[in-house]
Amino acid sequence: MTSYRREFLRFLAASPLAAAAYGQSPTSTNTITSAKDALSVMDFEPVARRVLPPAHWGYMATGVDDDKTLRMNREAFDHYQLRARRLVDVTTADLKTEVFGAQWESPVYISAVGSQKAFHPDGEIATARAAKAKKAMQMLSTVSSVAVEDVGKALGTAPWFQLYMPTTWDDTEKLVKRAEAAGCPVLAWTIDLLAGRNTETATRFTRTDQRDCLSCHATSPTAGANTSSNQRKPMFAGLSGNMNPPGATWSWVERLKKMTKMKLLLKGIDTAEDAKLAREHGADGVIVSNHGGRAAETGRGTIDILPEVVDAVGAQFPVFVDGGFRRGSDVYKALALGARGVGIGRPYIYGLSAFGQEGVEQVLDILRAELSLTMRQMGTPSIGQIGRGAILRNGVRV
Ligand SMILES: Cc1cc2nc3c(=O)[nH]c(=O)nc-3n(C[C@H](O)[C@H](O)[C@H](O)COP(=O)(O)O)c2cc1C
């Protein structure tokens, strides 16, 4: 090991900055030994870090370049304060919400995370079983380590399907038709990785990993999207494996929409302008997302983007959001700003890595309990009662 590497590892282990960079709560230093001991979803993070190989941890926890967008997703929640109302009957809270005609138990959903067997041997199946037990919506990644049909069986219903578009329309049609045939009600096309990305910190972690990555998979986890390793993924059976065409433009949304009966969401919308274009070109909704800080660097936190998107498309057009949600109060802020649902990525992967299905279940339970408490404390015990009156941005009404 070079002295630089040793220095870097020592820096990572010791630095409170590093803890903040990867979202680690300063209070979660004592690691838990059972899922039930977790008091916050961040209690799973140090356990995940301990059990995962450095390359897998780095692939999951980090962002791009200097990890500034990653950090901003968390820091932006501090721009918002809540305005509590009193003397409302808050004996119970009702988290139920309706999305595309389906009843959700809670607005929090499981967002797409690829290659989940890199985090636990049961991968997406453990996540699906947890989602089923907790009646949560699961969005499955195109680059999943388990096929959509098998995830549907474990989940008891078809998941939403996240699309990384293949580079040919032929392959796109095959993949979309497969998701449709599996019964997926919603297709979420991720459009924030079409230009590629620079996963520098993840690459540094990979360099510290003593294992031979190529003994388990064809390329390193940070090798990029358009690699032959995709061909081994179950959803790429019979397809070339190349994806994320950089030449895609807005007309592609219409063409994709015509291809399927599934509801079409665009995942990775970061401006009012693009939200309007998404609606004009036939999307059924948008997901405000910066890929968990894993796409472009020095962007805004998604909670800061959400209001302009909601204002641009109006309350009737479904707007979802993900990125940095770790507390029920974070979820509450998004609902107050007009989000229909809130996606989580890393929190459930921490839970999965640490304790498999049970960890994912506990993450969902904790976020629900925290959201329920916040709703009752705020005097808004049902989702429909939560609105802009409940929130301030830097002390000013929004
Ligand atoms: C390890 C990892 C893999 C991911 N894989 C995908 C993916 O395959 N498709 C996708 O659209 N988003 C993917 N995402 C992004 C998530 O869907 C989501 O936008 C993001 O994780 C939310 O931020 P959070 O992790 O701070 O909750 C991934 C995120 C992580 C951390």
PDB file of all heavy atoms in Angstrom, residues 16 18-30 40-46 57 74 326-327 350:
ATOM      1  N   PRO A  16     -14.205  14.032  10.760  1.00  0.00           N
ATOM      2  CA  PRO A  16     -15.630  14.317  10.904  1.00  0.00           C
ATOM      3  C   PRO A  16     -16.200  14.833   9.588  1.00  0.00           C
ATOM      4  O   PRO A  16     -17.370  14.652   9.279  1.00  0.00           O
ATOM      5  CB  PRO A  16     -15.694  15.397  12.000  1.00  0.00           C
ATOM      6  CG  PRO A  16     -14.316  15.926  12.154  1.00  0.00           C
ATOM      7  CD  PRO A  16     -13.375  14.922  11.584  1.00  0.00           C
ATOM      8  N   ALA A  18     -15.436  13.683   6.681  1.00  0.00           N
ATOM      9  CA  ALA A  18     -15.806  12.506   5.886  1.00  0.00           C
ATOM     10  C   ALA A  18     -17.151  11.977   6.332  1.00  0.00           C
ATOM     11  O   ALA A  18     -17.980  11.585   5.525  1.00  0.00           O
ATOM     12  CB  ALA A  18     -14.745  11.422   6.019  1.00  0.00           C
ATOM     13  N   ALA A  19     -17.372  11.982   7.645  1.00  0.00           N
ATOM     14  CA  ALA A  19     -18.667  11.513   8.157  1.00  0.00           C
ATOM     15  C   ALA A  19     -19.772  12.357   7.569  1.00  0.00           C
ATOM     16  O   ALA A  19     -20.785  11.832   7.095  1.00  0.00           O
ATOM     17  CB  ALA A  19     -18.681  11.589   9.678  1.00  0.00           C
ATOM     18  N   ALA A  20     -19.570  13.678   7.559  1.00  0.00           N
ATOM     19  CA  ALA A  20     -20.615  14.557   7.017  1.00  0.00           C
ATOM     20  C   ALA A  20     -20.773  14.317   5.527  1.00  0.00           C
ATOM     21  O   ALA A  20     -21.879  14.263   4.998  1.00  0.00           O
ATOM     22  CB  ALA A  20     -20.260  16.008   7.286  1.00  0.00           C
ATOM     23  N   ALA A  21     -19.641  14.109   4.844  1.00  0.00           N
ATOM     24  CA  ALA A  21     -19.695  13.963   3.392  1.00  0.00           C
ATOM     25  C   ALA A  21     -20.577  12.811   2.978  1.00  0.00           C
ATOM     26  O   ALA A  21     -21.294  12.881   2.004  1.00  0.00           O
ATOM     27  CB  ALA A  21     -18.290  13.744   2.843  1.00  0.00           C
ATOM     28  N   TYR A  22     -20.531  11.724   3.714  1.00  0.00           N
ATOM     29  CA  TYR A  22     -21.310  10.569   3.309  1.00  0.00           C
ATOM     30  C   TYR A  22     -22.586  10.447   4.102  1.00  0.00           C
ATOM     31  O   TYR A  22     -23.215   9.401   4.134  1.00  0.00           O
ATOM     32  CB  TYR A  22     -20.438   9.308   3.382  1.00  0.00           C
ATOM     33  CG  TYR A  22     -19.152   9.543   2.640  1.00  0.00           C
ATOM     34  CD1 TYR A  22     -17.930   9.412   3.246  1.00  0.00           C
ATOM     35  CD2 TYR A  22     -19.209  10.022   1.337  1.00  0.00           C
ATOM     36  CE1 TYR A  22     -16.769   9.714   2.561  1.00  0.00           C
ATOM     37  CE2 TYR A  22     -18.058  10.336   0.660  1.00  0.00           C
ATOM     38  CZ  TYR A  22     -16.846  10.176   1.264  1.00  0.00           C
ATOM     39  OH  TYR A  22     -15.713  10.492   0.589  1.00  0.00           O
ATOM     40  N   GLY A  23     -22.961  11.540   4.773  1.00  0.00           N
ATOM     41  CA  GLY A  23     -24.262  11.594   5.415  1.00  0.00           C
ATOM     42  C   GLY A  23     -24.310  10.982   6.790  1.00  0.00           C
ATOM     43  O   GLY A  23     -25.359  10.871   7.395  1.00  0.00           O
ATOM     44  N   GLN A  24     -23.147  10.576   7.331  1.00  0.00           N
ATOM     45  CA  GLN A  24     -23.164   9.885   8.620  1.00  0.00           C
ATOM     46  C   GLN A  24     -23.507  10.864   9.726  1.00  0.00           C
ATOM     47  O   GLN A  24     -22.937  11.934   9.828  1.00  0.00           O
ATOM     48  CB  GLN A  24     -21.790   9.275   8.868  1.00  0.00           C
ATOM     49  CG  GLN A  24     -21.745   8.418  10.115  1.00  0.00           C
ATOM     50  CD  GLN A  24     -20.407   7.719  10.225  1.00  0.00           C
ATOM     51  OE1 GLN A  24     -19.797   7.367   9.230  1.00  0.00           O
ATOM     52  NE2 GLN A  24     -19.935   7.548  11.421  1.00  0.00           N
ATOM     53  N   SER A  25     -24.440  10.467  10.570  1.00  0.00           N
ATOM     54  CA  SER A  25     -24.819  11.320  11.677  1.00  0.00           C
ATOM     55  C   SER A  25     -23.712  11.309  12.710  1.00  0.00           C
ATOM     56  O   SER A  25     -23.146  10.262  13.017  1.00  0.00           O
ATOM     57  CB  SER A  25     -26.122  10.797  12.280  1.00  0.00           C
ATOM     58  OG  SER A  25     -26.168  11.073  13.645  1.00  0.00           O
ATOM     59  N   PRO A  26     -23.380  12.478  13.280  1.00  0.00           N
ATOM     60  CA  PRO A  26     -22.300  12.494  14.271  1.00  0.00           C
ATOM     61  C   PRO A  26     -22.648  11.690  15.511  1.00  0.00           C
ATOM     62  O   PRO A  26     -21.779  11.291  16.267  1.00  0.00           O
ATOM     63  CB  PRO A  26     -22.160  13.979  14.618  1.00  0.00           C
ATOM     64  CG  PRO A  26     -23.360  14.650  14.076  1.00  0.00           C
ATOM     65  CD  PRO A  26     -23.942  13.787  13.009  1.00  0.00           C
ATOM     66  N   THR A  27     -23.941  11.408  15.722  1.00  0.00           N
ATOM     67  CA  THR A  27     -24.333  10.671  16.916  1.00  0.00           C
ATOM     68  C   THR A  27     -24.260   9.159  16.714  1.00  0.00           C
ATOM     69  O   THR A  27     -24.310   8.407  17.675  1.00  0.00           O
ATOM     70  CB  THR A  27     -25.782  11.012  17.317  1.00  0.00           C
ATOM     71  OG1 THR A  27     -26.602  10.817  16.181  1.00  0.00           O
ATOM     72  CG2 THR A  27     -25.898  12.425  17.822  1.00  0.00           C
ATOM     73  N   SER A  28     -24.167   8.719  15.467  1.00  0.00           N
ATOM     74  CA  SER A  28     -24.271   7.282  15.227  1.00  0.00           C
ATOM     75  C   SER A  28     -22.894   6.615  15.231  1.00  0.00           C
ATOM     76  O   SER A  28     -22.520   5.949  14.292  1.00  0.00           O
ATOM     77  CB  SER A  28     -25.011   7.000  13.923  1.00  0.00           C
ATOM     78  OG  SER A  28     -24.378   7.647  12.862  1.00  0.00           O
ATOM     79  N   THR A  29     -22.128   6.817  16.290  1.00  0.00           N
ATOM     80  CA  THR A  29     -20.794   6.228  16.347  1.00  0.00           C
ATOM     81  C   THR A  29     -20.812   4.834  16.966  1.00  0.00           C
ATOM     82  O   THR A  29     -19.967   4.009  16.662  1.00  0.00           O
ATOM     83  CB  THR A  29     -19.832   7.136  17.132  1.00  0.00           C
ATOM     84  OG1 THR A  29     -20.520   7.570  18.290  1.00  0.00           O
ATOM     85  CG2 THR A  29     -19.393   8.330  16.309  1.00  0.00           C
ATOM     86  N   ASN A  30     -21.741   4.562  17.890  1.00  0.00           N
ATOM     87  CA  ASN A  30     -21.833   3.220  18.464  1.00  0.00           C
ATOM     88  C   ASN A  30     -22.676   2.362  17.547  1.00  0.00           C
ATOM     89  O   ASN A  30     -23.854   2.612  17.385  1.00  0.00           O
ATOM     90  CB  ASN A  30     -22.500   3.262  19.845  1.00  0.00           C
ATOM     91  CG  ASN A  30     -21.659   4.025  20.833  1.00  0.00           C
ATOM     92  OD1 ASN A  30     -20.439   4.013  20.723  1.00  0.00           O
ATOM     93  ND2 ASN A  30     -22.298   4.691  21.761  1.00  0.00           N
ATOM     94  N   SER A  40     -32.521   5.695  14.576  1.00  0.00           N
ATOM     95  CA  SER A  40     -32.708   6.533  13.388  1.00  0.00           C
ATOM     96  C   SER A  40     -32.177   5.738  12.195  1.00  0.00           C
ATOM     97  O   SER A  40     -31.385   4.795  12.384  1.00  0.00           O
ATOM     98  CB  SER A  40     -31.947   7.854  13.558  1.00  0.00           C
ATOM     99  OG  SER A  40     -30.858   7.937  12.681  1.00  0.00           O
ATOM    100  N   VAL A  41     -32.603   6.111  11.005  1.00  0.00           N
ATOM    101  CA  VAL A  41     -32.137   5.320   9.853  1.00  0.00           C
ATOM    102  C   VAL A  41     -30.622   5.405   9.701  1.00  0.00           C
ATOM    103  O   VAL A  41     -29.993   4.495   9.163  1.00  0.00           O
ATOM    104  CB  VAL A  41     -32.839   5.730   8.527  1.00  0.00           C
ATOM    105  CG1 VAL A  41     -34.337   5.538   8.621  1.00  0.00           C
ATOM    106  CG2 VAL A  41     -32.482   7.139   8.104  1.00  0.00           C
ATOM    107  N   MET A  42     -30.017   6.487  10.219  1.00  0.00           N
ATOM    108  CA  MET A  42     -28.568   6.614  10.086  1.00  0.00           C
ATOM    109  C   MET A  42     -27.809   5.647  10.997  1.00  0.00           C
ATOM    110  O   MET A  42     -26.604   5.482  10.843  1.00  0.00           O
ATOM    111  CB  MET A  42     -28.141   8.065  10.355  1.00  0.00           C
ATOM    112  CG  MET A  42     -28.605   9.026   9.281  1.00  0.00           C
ATOM    113  SD  MET A  42     -28.282   8.463   7.593  1.00  0.00           S
ATOM    114  CE  MET A  42     -26.499   8.520   7.549  1.00  0.00           C
ATOM    115  N   ASP A  43     -28.508   5.010  11.943  1.00  0.00           N
ATOM    116  CA  ASP A  43     -27.839   3.995  12.771  1.00  0.00           C
ATOM    117  C   ASP A  43     -27.406   2.788  11.943  1.00  0.00           C
ATOM    118  O   ASP A  43     -26.552   2.008  12.370  1.00  0.00           O
ATOM    119  CB  ASP A  43     -28.767   3.531  13.905  1.00  0.00           C
ATOM    120  CG  ASP A  43     -28.857   4.574  15.015  1.00  0.00           C
ATOM    121  OD1 ASP A  43     -27.985   5.451  15.078  1.00  0.00           O
ATOM    122  OD2 ASP A  43     -29.807   4.503  15.814  1.00  0.00           O
ATOM    123  N   PHE A  44     -28.013   2.625  10.774  1.00  0.00           N
ATOM    124  CA  PHE A  44     -27.623   1.491   9.926  1.00  0.00           C
ATOM    125  C   PHE A  44     -26.349   1.776   9.121  1.00  0.00           C
ATOM    126  O   PHE A  44     -25.713   0.863   8.618  1.00  0.00           O
ATOM    127  CB  PHE A  44     -28.753   1.139   8.943  1.00  0.00           C
ATOM    128  CG  PHE A  44     -29.968   0.579   9.635  1.00  0.00           C
ATOM    129  CD1 PHE A  44     -31.076   1.368   9.864  1.00  0.00           C
ATOM    130  CD2 PHE A  44     -29.983  -0.733  10.074  1.00  0.00           C
ATOM    131  CE1 PHE A  44     -32.187   0.858  10.511  1.00  0.00           C
ATOM    132  CE2 PHE A  44     -31.081  -1.256  10.731  1.00  0.00           C
ATOM    133  CZ  PHE A  44     -32.193  -0.457  10.945  1.00  0.00           C
ATOM    134  N   GLU A  45     -26.045   3.061   8.996  1.00  0.00           N
ATOM    135  CA  GLU A  45     -24.950   3.429   8.107  1.00  0.00           C
ATOM    136  C   GLU A  45     -23.592   2.895   8.552  1.00  0.00           C
ATOM    137  O   GLU A  45     -22.879   2.272   7.755  1.00  0.00           O
ATOM    138  CB  GLU A  45     -24.927   4.949   7.941  1.00  0.00           C
ATOM    139  CG  GLU A  45     -24.080   5.374   6.774  1.00  0.00           C
ATOM    140  CD  GLU A  45     -23.257   6.577   7.103  1.00  0.00           C
ATOM    141  OE1 GLU A  45     -22.846   6.719   8.280  1.00  0.00           O
ATOM    142  OE2 GLU A  45     -23.028   7.375   6.196  1.00  0.00           O
ATOM    143  N   PRO A  46     -23.186   3.099   9.836  1.00  0.00           N
ATOM    144  CA  PRO A  46     -21.871   2.559  10.229  1.00  0.00           C
ATOM    145  C   PRO A  46     -21.795   1.029  10.157  1.00  0.00           C
ATOM    146  O   PRO A  46     -20.724   0.473   9.906  1.00  0.00           O
ATOM    147  CB  PRO A  46     -21.689   3.057  11.670  1.00  0.00           C
ATOM    148  CG  PRO A  46     -22.996   3.582  12.111  1.00  0.00           C
ATOM    149  CD  PRO A  46     -23.823   3.865  10.902  1.00  0.00           C
ATOM    150  N   TRP A  57     -18.964  -0.287  -0.633  1.00  0.00           N
ATOM    151  CA  TRP A  57     -19.339   0.856   0.202  1.00  0.00           C
ATOM    152  C   TRP A  57     -19.135   2.158  -0.586  1.00  0.00           C
ATOM    153  O   TRP A  57     -20.003   3.036  -0.625  1.00  0.00           O
ATOM    154  CB  TRP A  57     -18.499   0.877   1.489  1.00  0.00           C
ATOM    155  CG  TRP A  57     -18.567   2.197   2.170  1.00  0.00           C
ATOM    156  CD1 TRP A  57     -17.642   3.207   2.126  1.00  0.00           C
ATOM    157  CD2 TRP A  57     -19.669   2.697   2.941  1.00  0.00           C
ATOM    158  NE1 TRP A  57     -18.093   4.288   2.835  1.00  0.00           N
ATOM    159  CE2 TRP A  57     -19.330   4.003   3.352  1.00  0.00           C
ATOM    160  CE3 TRP A  57     -20.902   2.164   3.322  1.00  0.00           C
ATOM    161  CZ2 TRP A  57     -20.179   4.790   4.114  1.00  0.00           C
ATOM    162  CZ3 TRP A  57     -21.749   2.955   4.095  1.00  0.00           C
ATOM    163  CH2 TRP A  57     -21.385   4.244   4.493  1.00  0.00           C
ATOM    164  N   ARG A  74     -28.395  16.972   1.738  1.00  0.00           N
ATOM    165  CA  ARG A  74     -28.674  16.970   3.187  1.00  0.00           C
ATOM    166  C   ARG A  74     -28.761  18.397   3.728  1.00  0.00           C
ATOM    167  O   ARG A  74     -29.687  18.745   4.449  1.00  0.00           O
ATOM    168  CB  ARG A  74     -27.573  16.218   3.947  1.00  0.00           C
ATOM    169  CG  ARG A  74     -27.586  14.743   3.828  1.00  0.00           C
ATOM    170  CD  ARG A  74     -28.844  14.077   4.376  1.00  0.00           C
ATOM    171  NE  ARG A  74     -29.120  14.347   5.771  1.00  0.00           N
ATOM    172  CZ  ARG A  74     -30.342  14.659   6.247  1.00  0.00           C
ATOM    173  NH1 ARG A  74     -31.365  14.764   5.452  1.00  0.00           N
ATOM    174  NH2 ARG A  74     -30.522  14.880   7.520  1.00  0.00           N
ATOM    175  N   ARG A 326     -33.656  11.562   5.201  1.00  0.00           N
ATOM    176  CA  ARG A 326     -33.197  10.691   6.292  1.00  0.00           C
ATOM    177  C   ARG A 326     -34.082  10.767   7.530  1.00  0.00           C
ATOM    178  O   ARG A 326     -33.908   9.989   8.458  1.00  0.00           O
ATOM    179  CB  ARG A 326     -31.758  11.072   6.722  1.00  0.00           C
ATOM    180  CG  ARG A 326     -30.739  11.069   5.574  1.00  0.00           C
ATOM    181  CD  ARG A 326     -30.458   9.673   5.059  1.00  0.00           C
ATOM    182  NE  ARG A 326     -29.475   9.667   3.998  1.00  0.00           N
ATOM    183  CZ  ARG A 326     -29.764   9.652   2.687  1.00  0.00           C
ATOM    184  NH1 ARG A 326     -31.031   9.666   2.271  1.00  0.00           N
ATOM    185  NH2 ARG A 326     -28.804   9.644   1.784  1.00  0.00           N
ATOM    186  N   ARG A 327     -34.993  11.730   7.564  1.00  0.00           N
ATOM    187  CA  ARG A 327     -35.848  11.952   8.722  1.00  0.00           C
ATOM    188  C   ARG A 327     -37.290  12.150   8.287  1.00  0.00           C
ATOM    189  O   ARG A 327     -37.542  12.659   7.184  1.00  0.00           O
ATOM    190  CB  ARG A 327     -35.425  13.229   9.463  1.00  0.00           C
ATOM    191  CG  ARG A 327     -34.134  13.120  10.232  1.00  0.00           C
ATOM    192  CD  ARG A 327     -34.360  12.396  11.546  1.00  0.00           C
ATOM    193  NE  ARG A 327     -33.156  12.378  12.361  1.00  0.00           N
ATOM    194  CZ  ARG A 327     -33.034  11.638  13.459  1.00  0.00           C
ATOM    195  NH1 ARG A 327     -34.022  10.884  13.882  1.00  0.00           N
ATOM    196  NH2 ARG A 327     -31.916  11.650  14.149  1.00  0.00           N
ATOM    197  N   TYR A 350     -28.513   0.923   3.427  1.00  0.00           N
ATOM    198  CA  TYR A 350     -27.800   0.738   4.705  1.00  0.00           C
ATOM    199  C   TYR A 350     -28.469  -0.401   5.480  1.00  0.00           C
ATOM    200  O   TYR A 350     -27.810  -1.282   6.018  1.00  0.00           O
ATOM    201  CB  TYR A 350     -27.892   1.990   5.591  1.00  0.00           C
ATOM    202  CG  TYR A 350     -27.264   3.255   5.059  1.00  0.00           C
ATOM    203  CD1 TYR A 350     -27.815   4.496   5.390  1.00  0.00           C
ATOM    204  CD2 TYR A 350     -26.125   3.235   4.275  1.00  0.00           C
ATOM    205  CE1 TYR A 350     -27.250   5.673   4.942  1.00  0.00           C
ATOM    206  CE2 TYR A 350     -25.558   4.416   3.818  1.00  0.00           C
ATOM    207  CZ  TYR A 350     -26.131   5.634   4.158  1.00  0.00           C
ATOM    208  OH  TYR A 350     -25.581   6.803   3.713  1.00  0.00           O
TER     209      TYR A 350
END
